[in-house]
Amino acid sequence: QLHLQESGPGLVKPSETLSLTCTVSGDSFNNVLYHWGWIRQPPGRGLEWIGSIYSTGSTSYNPSLKSQVTLSVDMSRNQVSLKLTSVTAADTALYYCALYVWGSYLGYWGQGALVTVSS
Amino acid sequence: EIVLTQSPATLSLSPGERATLSCRASQSVGNYVAWYQQKPGQAPRLLIYDASTRAADIPHNFSGSGFGTDFTLTISSVQPEDFAVYYCQQRSNSLITFGQGTRLEIK
């Protein structure tokens, strides 16, 4: 089984940069092509896809967030990272990382990291 | 951007009843649709992918159907553990969107 764990600050000030890391572990994780996604969920609301990155570094971003988001990958550490710049209260959410399966779907999820944007 | 519209927003049923959840896409997505179940305090769980294929360890009372713009998730006999929020998801041109969710609640 694969295990994903998000980590990072739980509180970020408005206008600053939100940074999260996702680490993958598990017996079945090996050095093959992986496709990772980031999804967020504001409290009491639905899911919003942020973007995705292959282990090669190729990325796709939600057009509504593209100007704020940067995803990066460090396969030597089995990690992907999310940076979201110029945050506002509207960016307060539970942030999930996930691994794609069968090319298009999110089959493995982390438990989520709650990030609150507040001064 | 492809918009997914789920209906109803809330579905109230008794255990043992049949649940039918709908997801409509603003344009054709072929069969690139998945369904997820989310329980309070938990991450979403993949139930169905490619519109009708059950993911690993998903009970047979969950089934999916549809192609193009109209998709359905059916729970043949709702069990107490099935009361949750369900989301559909599509992938088009490497971009993903989710529906707004259907809450399945106990009647």
PDB file of all heavy atoms in Angstrom, chain A residues 41 45-47 49 60-61 63 96 100-102 104-107 109-110, chain B residues 31-34 36 38 42-44 46 49-50 87 89 91 94-96 98:
ATOM      1  N   GLN A  41      -9.982  21.785  -0.377  1.00  0.00           N
ATOM      2  CA  GLN A  41     -11.382  21.758   0.018  1.00  0.00           C
ATOM      3  C   GLN A  41     -11.597  22.792   1.121  1.00  0.00           C
ATOM      4  O   GLN A  41     -11.226  22.559   2.271  1.00  0.00           O
ATOM      5  CB  GLN A  41     -11.770  20.358   0.503  1.00  0.00           C
ATOM      6  CG  GLN A  41     -13.238  20.200   0.825  1.00  0.00           C
ATOM      7  CD  GLN A  41     -13.604  18.748   1.086  1.00  0.00           C
ATOM      8  OE1 GLN A  41     -12.828  17.987   1.658  1.00  0.00           O
ATOM      9  NE2 GLN A  41     -14.785  18.353   0.649  1.00  0.00           N
ATOM     10  N   ARG A  45     -17.106  22.825   2.165  1.00  0.00           N
ATOM     11  CA  ARG A  45     -17.390  22.976   0.739  1.00  0.00           C
ATOM     12  C   ARG A  45     -16.833  21.819  -0.074  1.00  0.00           C
ATOM     13  O   ARG A  45     -16.367  20.819   0.478  1.00  0.00           O
ATOM     14  CB  ARG A  45     -16.840  24.320   0.260  1.00  0.00           C
ATOM     15  CG  ARG A  45     -17.480  25.499   0.974  1.00  0.00           C
ATOM     16  CD  ARG A  45     -16.967  26.827   0.479  1.00  0.00           C
ATOM     17  NE  ARG A  45     -17.279  27.022  -0.940  1.00  0.00           N
ATOM     18  CZ  ARG A  45     -16.864  28.065  -1.632  1.00  0.00           C
ATOM     19  NH1 ARG A  45     -16.108  28.996  -1.062  1.00  0.00           N
ATOM     20  NH2 ARG A  45     -17.175  28.197  -2.907  1.00  0.00           N
ATOM     21  N   GLY A  46     -16.889  21.945  -1.393  1.00  0.00           N
ATOM     22  CA  GLY A  46     -16.504  20.864  -2.281  1.00  0.00           C
ATOM     23  C   GLY A  46     -15.029  20.866  -2.641  1.00  0.00           C
ATOM     24  O   GLY A  46     -14.222  21.628  -2.097  1.00  0.00           O
ATOM     25  N   LEU A  47     -14.687  19.991  -3.569  1.00  0.00           N
ATOM     26  CA  LEU A  47     -13.294  19.768  -3.960  1.00  0.00           C
ATOM     27  C   LEU A  47     -12.909  20.662  -5.134  1.00  0.00           C
ATOM     28  O   LEU A  47     -13.682  20.833  -6.081  1.00  0.00           O
ATOM     29  CB  LEU A  47     -13.110  18.301  -4.362  1.00  0.00           C
ATOM     30  CG  LEU A  47     -13.468  17.272  -3.302  1.00  0.00           C
ATOM     31  CD1 LEU A  47     -13.519  15.876  -3.922  1.00  0.00           C
ATOM     32  CD2 LEU A  47     -12.473  17.302  -2.154  1.00  0.00           C
ATOM     33  N   TRP A  49      -9.617  21.073  -7.806  1.00  0.00           N
ATOM     34  CA  TRP A  49      -8.320  20.609  -8.294  1.00  0.00           C
ATOM     35  C   TRP A  49      -7.390  21.794  -8.483  1.00  0.00           C
ATOM     36  O   TRP A  49      -7.766  22.789  -9.108  1.00  0.00           O
ATOM     37  CB  TRP A  49      -8.522  19.861  -9.611  1.00  0.00           C
ATOM     38  CG  TRP A  49      -7.299  19.352 -10.279  1.00  0.00           C
ATOM     39  CD1 TRP A  49      -6.558  18.270  -9.923  1.00  0.00           C
ATOM     40  CD2 TRP A  49      -6.683  19.878 -11.460  1.00  0.00           C
ATOM     41  NE1 TRP A  49      -5.524  18.097 -10.808  1.00  0.00           N
ATOM     42  CE2 TRP A  49      -5.570  19.062 -11.756  1.00  0.00           C
ATOM     43  CE3 TRP A  49      -6.959  20.958 -12.297  1.00  0.00           C
ATOM     44  CZ2 TRP A  49      -4.741  19.285 -12.851  1.00  0.00           C
ATOM     45  CZ3 TRP A  49      -6.137  21.184 -13.392  1.00  0.00           C
ATOM     46  CH2 TRP A  49      -5.041  20.363 -13.660  1.00  0.00           C
ATOM     47  N   SER A  60       0.487  20.542 -14.990  1.00  0.00           N
ATOM     48  CA  SER A  60      -0.768  21.112 -15.474  1.00  0.00           C
ATOM     49  C   SER A  60      -1.392  21.840 -14.295  1.00  0.00           C
ATOM     50  O   SER A  60      -1.333  21.350 -13.161  1.00  0.00           O
ATOM     51  CB  SER A  60      -1.731  20.027 -15.968  1.00  0.00           C
ATOM     52  OG  SER A  60      -1.216  19.345 -17.072  1.00  0.00           O
ATOM     53  N   TYR A  61      -1.998  23.003 -14.566  1.00  0.00           N
ATOM     54  CA  TYR A  61      -2.566  23.794 -13.491  1.00  0.00           C
ATOM     55  C   TYR A  61      -4.009  24.168 -13.780  1.00  0.00           C
ATOM     56  O   TYR A  61      -4.398  24.352 -14.935  1.00  0.00           O
ATOM     57  CB  TYR A  61      -1.756  25.085 -13.283  1.00  0.00           C
ATOM     58  CG  TYR A  61      -0.326  24.880 -12.838  1.00  0.00           C
ATOM     59  CD1 TYR A  61       0.728  25.433 -13.562  1.00  0.00           C
ATOM     60  CD2 TYR A  61      -0.025  24.139 -11.701  1.00  0.00           C
ATOM     61  CE1 TYR A  61       2.047  25.259 -13.152  1.00  0.00           C
ATOM     62  CE2 TYR A  61       1.293  23.963 -11.290  1.00  0.00           C
ATOM     63  CZ  TYR A  61       2.314  24.529 -12.023  1.00  0.00           C
ATOM     64  OH  TYR A  61       3.620  24.342 -11.609  1.00  0.00           O
ATOM     65  N   PRO A  63      -6.667  26.580 -14.460  1.00  0.00           N
ATOM     66  CA  PRO A  63      -6.535  27.924 -15.051  1.00  0.00           C
ATOM     67  C   PRO A  63      -6.850  29.055 -14.063  1.00  0.00           C
ATOM     68  O   PRO A  63      -6.239  30.128 -14.138  1.00  0.00           O
ATOM     69  CB  PRO A  63      -7.544  27.907 -16.204  1.00  0.00           C
ATOM     70  CG  PRO A  63      -7.652  26.458 -16.570  1.00  0.00           C
ATOM     71  CD  PRO A  63      -7.519  25.712 -15.284  1.00  0.00           C
ATOM     72  N   TYR A  96      -5.091  18.560  -0.027  1.00  0.00           N
ATOM     73  CA  TYR A  96      -4.769  17.144  -0.199  1.00  0.00           C
ATOM     74  C   TYR A  96      -3.754  16.958  -1.325  1.00  0.00           C
ATOM     75  O   TYR A  96      -3.845  17.632  -2.354  1.00  0.00           O
ATOM     76  CB  TYR A  96      -6.003  16.344  -0.614  1.00  0.00           C
ATOM     77  CG  TYR A  96      -7.107  16.207   0.409  1.00  0.00           C
ATOM     78  CD1 TYR A  96      -8.266  16.980   0.315  1.00  0.00           C
ATOM     79  CD2 TYR A  96      -7.028  15.270   1.439  1.00  0.00           C
ATOM     80  CE1 TYR A  96      -9.305  16.825   1.219  1.00  0.00           C
ATOM     81  CE2 TYR A  96      -8.053  15.113   2.352  1.00  0.00           C
ATOM     82  CZ  TYR A  96      -9.189  15.892   2.231  1.00  0.00           C
ATOM     83  OH  TYR A  96     -10.225  15.731   3.132  1.00  0.00           O
ATOM     84  N   TYR A 100      -2.316   9.834  -9.036  1.00  0.00           N
ATOM     85  CA  TYR A 100      -3.201   9.392 -10.094  1.00  0.00           C
ATOM     86  C   TYR A 100      -3.063   7.886 -10.326  1.00  0.00           C
ATOM     87  O   TYR A 100      -1.993   7.306 -10.149  1.00  0.00           O
ATOM     88  CB  TYR A 100      -2.835  10.077 -11.412  1.00  0.00           C
ATOM     89  CG  TYR A 100      -3.300  11.505 -11.559  1.00  0.00           C
ATOM     90  CD1 TYR A 100      -2.708  12.523 -10.818  1.00  0.00           C
ATOM     91  CD2 TYR A 100      -4.294  11.839 -12.468  1.00  0.00           C
ATOM     92  CE1 TYR A 100      -3.116  13.843 -10.979  1.00  0.00           C
ATOM     93  CE2 TYR A 100      -4.705  13.153 -12.633  1.00  0.00           C
ATOM     94  CZ  TYR A 100      -4.116  14.148 -11.893  1.00  0.00           C
ATOM     95  OH  TYR A 100      -4.512  15.440 -12.049  1.00  0.00           O
ATOM     96  N   VAL A 101      -4.172   7.307 -10.721  1.00  0.00           N
ATOM     97  CA  VAL A 101      -4.176   5.934 -11.208  1.00  0.00           C
ATOM     98  C   VAL A 101      -4.893   5.912 -12.547  1.00  0.00           C
ATOM     99  O   VAL A 101      -5.777   6.735 -12.793  1.00  0.00           O
ATOM    100  CB  VAL A 101      -4.854   4.966 -10.218  1.00  0.00           C
ATOM    101  CG1 VAL A 101      -4.045   4.864  -8.929  1.00  0.00           C
ATOM    102  CG2 VAL A 101      -6.288   5.395  -9.910  1.00  0.00           C
ATOM    103  N   TRP A 102      -4.490   4.993 -13.402  1.00  0.00           N
ATOM    104  CA  TRP A 102      -5.096   4.845 -14.731  1.00  0.00           C
ATOM    105  C   TRP A 102      -5.153   6.167 -15.497  1.00  0.00           C
ATOM    106  O   TRP A 102      -6.062   6.425 -16.275  1.00  0.00           O
ATOM    107  CB  TRP A 102      -6.505   4.224 -14.616  1.00  0.00           C
ATOM    108  CG  TRP A 102      -6.457   2.922 -13.923  1.00  0.00           C
ATOM    109  CD1 TRP A 102      -5.916   1.762 -14.412  1.00  0.00           C
ATOM    110  CD2 TRP A 102      -6.873   2.638 -12.590  1.00  0.00           C
ATOM    111  NE1 TRP A 102      -6.006   0.787 -13.452  1.00  0.00           N
ATOM    112  CE2 TRP A 102      -6.571   1.273 -12.351  1.00  0.00           C
ATOM    113  CE3 TRP A 102      -7.484   3.385 -11.585  1.00  0.00           C
ATOM    114  CZ2 TRP A 102      -6.858   0.668 -11.135  1.00  0.00           C
ATOM    115  CZ3 TRP A 102      -7.779   2.784 -10.384  1.00  0.00           C
ATOM    116  CH2 TRP A 102      -7.467   1.443 -10.165  1.00  0.00           C
ATOM    117  N   SER A 104      -6.031   9.206 -15.175  1.00  0.00           N
ATOM    118  CA  SER A 104      -6.969  10.327 -15.073  1.00  0.00           C
ATOM    119  C   SER A 104      -7.626  10.484 -13.715  1.00  0.00           C
ATOM    120  O   SER A 104      -8.379  11.441 -13.522  1.00  0.00           O
ATOM    121  CB  SER A 104      -8.090  10.155 -16.106  1.00  0.00           C
ATOM    122  OG  SER A 104      -7.571  10.054 -17.406  1.00  0.00           O
ATOM    123  N   TYR A 105      -7.365   9.589 -12.808  1.00  0.00           N
ATOM    124  CA  TYR A 105      -8.147   9.541 -11.571  1.00  0.00           C
ATOM    125  C   TYR A 105      -7.239   9.517 -10.353  1.00  0.00           C
ATOM    126  O   TYR A 105      -6.087   9.108 -10.422  1.00  0.00           O
ATOM    127  CB  TYR A 105      -9.048   8.304 -11.587  1.00  0.00           C
ATOM    128  CG  TYR A 105      -9.806   8.175 -12.882  1.00  0.00           C
ATOM    129  CD1 TYR A 105      -9.513   7.151 -13.779  1.00  0.00           C
ATOM    130  CD2 TYR A 105     -10.771   9.112 -13.242  1.00  0.00           C
ATOM    131  CE1 TYR A 105     -10.171   7.055 -14.988  1.00  0.00           C
ATOM    132  CE2 TYR A 105     -11.440   9.022 -14.450  1.00  0.00           C
ATOM    133  CZ  TYR A 105     -11.132   7.996 -15.319  1.00  0.00           C
ATOM    134  OH  TYR A 105     -11.779   7.910 -16.519  1.00  0.00           O
ATOM    135  N   LEU A 106      -7.774   9.931  -9.230  1.00  0.00           N
ATOM    136  CA  LEU A 106      -7.009  10.112  -7.998  1.00  0.00           C
ATOM    137  C   LEU A 106      -7.260   8.931  -7.078  1.00  0.00           C
ATOM    138  O   LEU A 106      -8.262   8.869  -6.375  1.00  0.00           O
ATOM    139  CB  LEU A 106      -7.399  11.446  -7.364  1.00  0.00           C
ATOM    140  CG  LEU A 106      -7.148  12.622  -8.336  1.00  0.00           C
ATOM    141  CD1 LEU A 106      -7.973  13.835  -7.970  1.00  0.00           C
ATOM    142  CD2 LEU A 106      -5.665  12.965  -8.347  1.00  0.00           C
ATOM    143  N   GLY A 107      -6.314   7.983  -7.118  1.00  0.00           N
ATOM    144  CA  GLY A 107      -6.558   6.719  -6.446  1.00  0.00           C
ATOM    145  C   GLY A 107      -6.008   6.617  -5.037  1.00  0.00           C
ATOM    146  O   GLY A 107      -6.496   5.828  -4.230  1.00  0.00           O
ATOM    147  N   TRP A 109      -4.840   9.036  -1.677  1.00  0.00           N
ATOM    148  CA  TRP A 109      -4.939  10.370  -1.105  1.00  0.00           C
ATOM    149  C   TRP A 109      -4.213  10.437   0.231  1.00  0.00           C
ATOM    150  O   TRP A 109      -4.193   9.466   0.990  1.00  0.00           O
ATOM    151  CB  TRP A 109      -6.403  10.744  -0.856  1.00  0.00           C
ATOM    152  CG  TRP A 109      -7.250  10.895  -2.072  1.00  0.00           C
ATOM    153  CD1 TRP A 109      -7.633   9.911  -2.945  1.00  0.00           C
ATOM    154  CD2 TRP A 109      -7.856  12.096  -2.541  1.00  0.00           C
ATOM    155  NE1 TRP A 109      -8.431  10.425  -3.935  1.00  0.00           N
ATOM    156  CE2 TRP A 109      -8.585  11.769  -3.708  1.00  0.00           C
ATOM    157  CE3 TRP A 109      -7.856  13.426  -2.096  1.00  0.00           C
ATOM    158  CZ2 TRP A 109      -9.308  12.729  -4.437  1.00  0.00           C
ATOM    159  CZ3 TRP A 109      -8.579  14.373  -2.808  1.00  0.00           C
ATOM    160  CH2 TRP A 109      -9.293  14.018  -3.972  1.00  0.00           C
ATOM    161  N   GLY A 110      -3.645  11.611   0.505  1.00  0.00           N
ATOM    162  CA  GLY A 110      -3.160  11.870   1.855  1.00  0.00           C
ATOM    163  C   GLY A 110      -4.328  12.218   2.760  1.00  0.00           C
ATOM    164  O   GLY A 110      -5.477  12.320   2.306  1.00  0.00           O
TER     165      GLY A 110
ATOM    166  N   ASN B  31     -15.831   8.746 -21.644  1.00  0.00           N
ATOM    167  CA  ASN B  31     -16.107   7.983 -20.429  1.00  0.00           C
ATOM    168  C   ASN B  31     -15.111   8.322 -19.318  1.00  0.00           C
ATOM    169  O   ASN B  31     -14.942   7.569 -18.363  1.00  0.00           O
ATOM    170  CB  ASN B  31     -16.076   6.480 -20.697  1.00  0.00           C
ATOM    171  CG  ASN B  31     -14.674   5.970 -20.980  1.00  0.00           C
ATOM    172  OD1 ASN B  31     -13.829   6.712 -21.473  1.00  0.00           O
ATOM    173  ND2 ASN B  31     -14.417   4.710 -20.653  1.00  0.00           N
ATOM    174  N   TYR B  32     -14.462   9.507 -19.437  1.00  0.00           N
ATOM    175  CA  TYR B  32     -13.447   9.885 -18.455  1.00  0.00           C
ATOM    176  C   TYR B  32     -14.079  10.505 -17.210  1.00  0.00           C
ATOM    177  O   TYR B  32     -13.863  11.680 -16.894  1.00  0.00           O
ATOM    178  CB  TYR B  32     -12.444  10.849 -19.066  1.00  0.00           C
ATOM    179  CG  TYR B  32     -11.541  10.216 -20.095  1.00  0.00           C
ATOM    180  CD1 TYR B  32     -11.592  10.615 -21.431  1.00  0.00           C
ATOM    181  CD2 TYR B  32     -10.631   9.229 -19.728  1.00  0.00           C
ATOM    182  CE1 TYR B  32     -10.761  10.029 -22.378  1.00  0.00           C
ATOM    183  CE2 TYR B  32      -9.802   8.641 -20.660  1.00  0.00           C
ATOM    184  CZ  TYR B  32      -9.870   9.042 -21.985  1.00  0.00           C
ATOM    185  OH  TYR B  32      -9.044   8.469 -22.912  1.00  0.00           O
ATOM    186  N   VAL B  33     -14.865   9.691 -16.527  1.00  0.00           N
ATOM    187  CA  VAL B  33     -15.557  10.152 -15.320  1.00  0.00           C
ATOM    188  C   VAL B  33     -15.292   9.183 -14.182  1.00  0.00           C
ATOM    189  O   VAL B  33     -15.276   7.961 -14.376  1.00  0.00           O
ATOM    190  CB  VAL B  33     -17.066  10.284 -15.574  1.00  0.00           C
ATOM    191  CG1 VAL B  33     -17.848  10.374 -14.269  1.00  0.00           C
ATOM    192  CG2 VAL B  33     -17.335  11.538 -16.410  1.00  0.00           C
ATOM    193  N   ALA B  34     -15.080   9.756 -13.013  1.00  0.00           N
ATOM    194  CA  ALA B  34     -14.909   8.973 -11.794  1.00  0.00           C
ATOM    195  C   ALA B  34     -15.899   9.449 -10.745  1.00  0.00           C
ATOM    196  O   ALA B  34     -16.408  10.577 -10.816  1.00  0.00           O
ATOM    197  CB  ALA B  34     -13.487   9.117 -11.258  1.00  0.00           C
ATOM    198  N   TYR B  36     -16.305   9.579  -6.398  1.00  0.00           N
ATOM    199  CA  TYR B  36     -15.623   9.478  -5.121  1.00  0.00           C
ATOM    200  C   TYR B  36     -16.648   9.562  -3.983  1.00  0.00           C
ATOM    201  O   TYR B  36     -17.663  10.254  -4.101  1.00  0.00           O
ATOM    202  CB  TYR B  36     -14.615  10.623  -4.927  1.00  0.00           C
ATOM    203  CG  TYR B  36     -13.512  10.655  -5.961  1.00  0.00           C
ATOM    204  CD1 TYR B  36     -13.720  11.254  -7.199  1.00  0.00           C
ATOM    205  CD2 TYR B  36     -12.276  10.077  -5.707  1.00  0.00           C
ATOM    206  CE1 TYR B  36     -12.725  11.276  -8.162  1.00  0.00           C
ATOM    207  CE2 TYR B  36     -11.276  10.098  -6.657  1.00  0.00           C
ATOM    208  CZ  TYR B  36     -11.511  10.702  -7.886  1.00  0.00           C
ATOM    209  OH  TYR B  36     -10.509  10.716  -8.829  1.00  0.00           O
ATOM    210  N   GLN B  38     -16.882  10.626   0.084  1.00  0.00           N
ATOM    211  CA  GLN B  38     -16.167  11.288   1.172  1.00  0.00           C
ATOM    212  C   GLN B  38     -17.013  11.274   2.438  1.00  0.00           C
ATOM    213  O   GLN B  38     -18.135  11.785   2.451  1.00  0.00           O
ATOM    214  CB  GLN B  38     -15.790  12.725   0.814  1.00  0.00           C
ATOM    215  CG  GLN B  38     -14.887  13.362   1.874  1.00  0.00           C
ATOM    216  CD  GLN B  38     -14.449  14.767   1.524  1.00  0.00           C
ATOM    217  OE1 GLN B  38     -15.181  15.526   0.885  1.00  0.00           O
ATOM    218  NE2 GLN B  38     -13.233  15.139   1.939  1.00  0.00           N
ATOM    219  N   GLN B  42     -12.591  12.506   6.531  1.00  0.00           N
ATOM    220  CA  GLN B  42     -11.773  11.597   5.727  1.00  0.00           C
ATOM    221  C   GLN B  42     -11.511  12.190   4.346  1.00  0.00           C
ATOM    222  O   GLN B  42     -12.251  13.039   3.855  1.00  0.00           O
ATOM    223  CB  GLN B  42     -12.466  10.242   5.570  1.00  0.00           C
ATOM    224  CG  GLN B  42     -12.661   9.487   6.863  1.00  0.00           C
ATOM    225  CD  GLN B  42     -13.264   8.110   6.627  1.00  0.00           C
ATOM    226  OE1 GLN B  42     -13.253   7.584   5.505  1.00  0.00           O
ATOM    227  NE2 GLN B  42     -13.785   7.504   7.689  1.00  0.00           N
ATOM    228  N   ALA B  43     -10.442  11.702   3.736  1.00  0.00           N
ATOM    229  CA  ALA B  43     -10.158  12.060   2.356  1.00  0.00           C
ATOM    230  C   ALA B  43     -11.147  11.350   1.428  1.00  0.00           C
ATOM    231  O   ALA B  43     -11.710  10.312   1.795  1.00  0.00           O
ATOM    232  CB  ALA B  43      -8.732  11.668   1.991  1.00  0.00           C
ATOM    233  N   PRO B  44     -11.364  11.880   0.249  1.00  0.00           N
ATOM    234  CA  PRO B  44     -12.205  11.165  -0.716  1.00  0.00           C
ATOM    235  C   PRO B  44     -11.623   9.804  -1.063  1.00  0.00           C
ATOM    236  O   PRO B  44     -10.410   9.596  -0.989  1.00  0.00           O
ATOM    237  CB  PRO B  44     -12.193  12.100  -1.942  1.00  0.00           C
ATOM    238  CG  PRO B  44     -11.909  13.448  -1.379  1.00  0.00           C
ATOM    239  CD  PRO B  44     -10.957  13.195  -0.240  1.00  0.00           C
ATOM    240  N   LEU B  46     -11.797   6.780  -4.078  1.00  0.00           N
ATOM    241  CA  LEU B  46     -12.203   6.466  -5.445  1.00  0.00           C
ATOM    242  C   LEU B  46     -13.106   5.240  -5.456  1.00  0.00           C
ATOM    243  O   LEU B  46     -12.731   4.177  -4.945  1.00  0.00           O
ATOM    244  CB  LEU B  46     -10.962   6.223  -6.307  1.00  0.00           C
ATOM    245  CG  LEU B  46     -11.185   5.855  -7.766  1.00  0.00           C
ATOM    246  CD1 LEU B  46     -11.849   7.005  -8.524  1.00  0.00           C
ATOM    247  CD2 LEU B  46      -9.859   5.476  -8.425  1.00  0.00           C
ATOM    248  N   TYR B  49     -14.214   4.421 -11.817  1.00  0.00           N
ATOM    249  CA  TYR B  49     -13.463   5.178 -12.813  1.00  0.00           C
ATOM    250  C   TYR B  49     -13.841   4.707 -14.204  1.00  0.00           C
ATOM    251  O   TYR B  49     -14.490   3.667 -14.370  1.00  0.00           O
ATOM    252  CB  TYR B  49     -11.950   5.079 -12.578  1.00  0.00           C
ATOM    253  CG  TYR B  49     -11.366   3.689 -12.744  1.00  0.00           C
ATOM    254  CD1 TYR B  49     -10.811   3.277 -13.945  1.00  0.00           C
ATOM    255  CD2 TYR B  49     -11.357   2.792 -11.675  1.00  0.00           C
ATOM    256  CE1 TYR B  49     -10.274   2.011 -14.093  1.00  0.00           C
ATOM    257  CE2 TYR B  49     -10.834   1.519 -11.821  1.00  0.00           C
ATOM    258  CZ  TYR B  49     -10.287   1.132 -13.020  1.00  0.00           C
ATOM    259  OH  TYR B  49      -9.761  -0.123 -13.163  1.00  0.00           O
ATOM    260  N   ASP B  50     -13.467   5.493 -15.191  1.00  0.00           N
ATOM    261  CA  ASP B  50     -13.895   5.219 -16.573  1.00  0.00           C
ATOM    262  C   ASP B  50     -15.401   4.995 -16.637  1.00  0.00           C
ATOM    263  O   ASP B  50     -15.889   4.126 -17.370  1.00  0.00           O
ATOM    264  CB  ASP B  50     -13.144   4.014 -17.155  1.00  0.00           C
ATOM    265  CG  ASP B  50     -11.702   4.328 -17.496  1.00  0.00           C
ATOM    266  OD1 ASP B  50     -11.331   5.519 -17.532  1.00  0.00           O
ATOM    267  OD2 ASP B  50     -10.933   3.385 -17.716  1.00  0.00           O
ATOM    268  N   TYR B  87     -18.873  12.738  -5.016  1.00  0.00           N
ATOM    269  CA  TYR B  87     -18.432  13.683  -6.032  1.00  0.00           C
ATOM    270  C   TYR B  87     -18.146  12.956  -7.334  1.00  0.00           C
ATOM    271  O   TYR B  87     -17.558  11.867  -7.326  1.00  0.00           O
ATOM    272  CB  TYR B  87     -17.147  14.396  -5.613  1.00  0.00           C
ATOM    273  CG  TYR B  87     -17.267  15.280  -4.402  1.00  0.00           C
ATOM    274  CD1 TYR B  87     -16.947  14.806  -3.134  1.00  0.00           C
ATOM    275  CD2 TYR B  87     -17.690  16.604  -4.521  1.00  0.00           C
ATOM    276  CE1 TYR B  87     -17.058  15.620  -2.013  1.00  0.00           C
ATOM    277  CE2 TYR B  87     -17.801  17.420  -3.407  1.00  0.00           C
ATOM    278  CZ  TYR B  87     -17.491  16.915  -2.165  1.00  0.00           C
ATOM    279  OH  TYR B  87     -17.589  17.726  -1.050  1.00  0.00           O
ATOM    280  N   GLN B  89     -16.074  13.394 -11.063  1.00  0.00           N
ATOM    281  CA  GLN B  89     -14.852  14.075 -11.520  1.00  0.00           C
ATOM    282  C   GLN B  89     -14.612  13.707 -12.973  1.00  0.00           C
ATOM    283  O   GLN B  89     -14.837  12.564 -13.373  1.00  0.00           O
ATOM    284  CB  GLN B  89     -13.654  13.647 -10.679  1.00  0.00           C
ATOM    285  CG  GLN B  89     -12.288  14.134 -11.198  1.00  0.00           C
ATOM    286  CD  GLN B  89     -11.368  13.003 -11.641  1.00  0.00           C
ATOM    287  OE1 GLN B  89     -11.152  12.036 -10.909  1.00  0.00           O
ATOM    288  NE2 GLN B  89     -10.802  13.120 -12.831  1.00  0.00           N
ATOM    289  N   ARG B  91     -11.814  14.275 -16.463  1.00  0.00           N
ATOM    290  CA  ARG B  91     -10.504  14.710 -16.915  1.00  0.00           C
ATOM    291  C   ARG B  91     -10.588  14.991 -18.397  1.00  0.00           C
ATOM    292  O   ARG B  91     -11.024  14.165 -19.161  1.00  0.00           O
ATOM    293  CB  ARG B  91      -9.464  13.627 -16.665  1.00  0.00           C
ATOM    294  CG  ARG B  91      -8.019  14.071 -16.892  1.00  0.00           C
ATOM    295  CD  ARG B  91      -7.563  13.959 -18.298  1.00  0.00           C
ATOM    296  NE  ARG B  91      -7.432  12.591 -18.760  1.00  0.00           N
ATOM    297  CZ  ARG B  91      -7.244  12.242 -20.038  1.00  0.00           C
ATOM    298  NH1 ARG B  91      -7.188  13.174 -20.969  1.00  0.00           N
ATOM    299  NH2 ARG B  91      -7.128  10.983 -20.353  1.00  0.00           N
ATOM    300  N   SER B  94      -5.911  17.134 -19.786  1.00  0.00           N
ATOM    301  CA  SER B  94      -5.048  17.157 -18.590  1.00  0.00           C
ATOM    302  C   SER B  94      -5.596  17.998 -17.447  1.00  0.00           C
ATOM    303  O   SER B  94      -4.913  18.184 -16.441  1.00  0.00           O
ATOM    304  CB  SER B  94      -3.642  17.656 -18.931  1.00  0.00           C
ATOM    305  OG  SER B  94      -3.031  16.820 -19.880  1.00  0.00           O
ATOM    306  N   LEU B  95      -6.789  18.560 -17.601  1.00  0.00           N
ATOM    307  CA  LEU B  95      -7.398  19.353 -16.534  1.00  0.00           C
ATOM    308  C   LEU B  95      -8.511  18.552 -15.877  1.00  0.00           C
ATOM    309  O   LEU B  95      -9.243  17.827 -16.550  1.00  0.00           O
ATOM    310  CB  LEU B  95      -7.951  20.665 -17.080  1.00  0.00           C
ATOM    311  CG  LEU B  95      -6.975  21.548 -17.840  1.00  0.00           C
ATOM    312  CD1 LEU B  95      -7.658  22.832 -18.284  1.00  0.00           C
ATOM    313  CD2 LEU B  95      -5.751  21.872 -16.996  1.00  0.00           C
ATOM    314  N   ILE B  96      -8.621  18.726 -14.588  1.00  0.00           N
ATOM    315  CA  ILE B  96      -9.637  18.001 -13.817  1.00  0.00           C
ATOM    316  C   ILE B  96     -10.639  18.985 -13.236  1.00  0.00           C
ATOM    317  O   ILE B  96     -10.256  20.066 -12.779  1.00  0.00           O
ATOM    318  CB  ILE B  96      -8.957  17.199 -12.683  1.00  0.00           C
ATOM    319  CG1 ILE B  96      -8.432  15.881 -13.221  1.00  0.00           C
ATOM    320  CG2 ILE B  96      -9.918  16.940 -11.519  1.00  0.00           C
ATOM    321  CD1 ILE B  96      -7.777  15.008 -12.168  1.00  0.00           C
ATOM    322  N   PHE B  98     -14.343  18.816 -10.642  1.00  0.00           N
ATOM    323  CA  PHE B  98     -15.237  18.036  -9.811  1.00  0.00           C
ATOM    324  C   PHE B  98     -16.640  18.637  -9.855  1.00  0.00           C
ATOM    325  O   PHE B  98     -16.800  19.849 -10.040  1.00  0.00           O
ATOM    326  CB  PHE B  98     -14.785  18.054  -8.349  1.00  0.00           C
ATOM    327  CG  PHE B  98     -13.504  17.336  -8.067  1.00  0.00           C
ATOM    328  CD1 PHE B  98     -12.300  18.016  -8.056  1.00  0.00           C
ATOM    329  CD2 PHE B  98     -13.498  15.977  -7.784  1.00  0.00           C
ATOM    330  CE1 PHE B  98     -11.109  17.361  -7.785  1.00  0.00           C
ATOM    331  CE2 PHE B  98     -12.311  15.311  -7.510  1.00  0.00           C
ATOM    332  CZ  PHE B  98     -11.120  16.005  -7.514  1.00  0.00           C
TER     333      PHE B  98
END
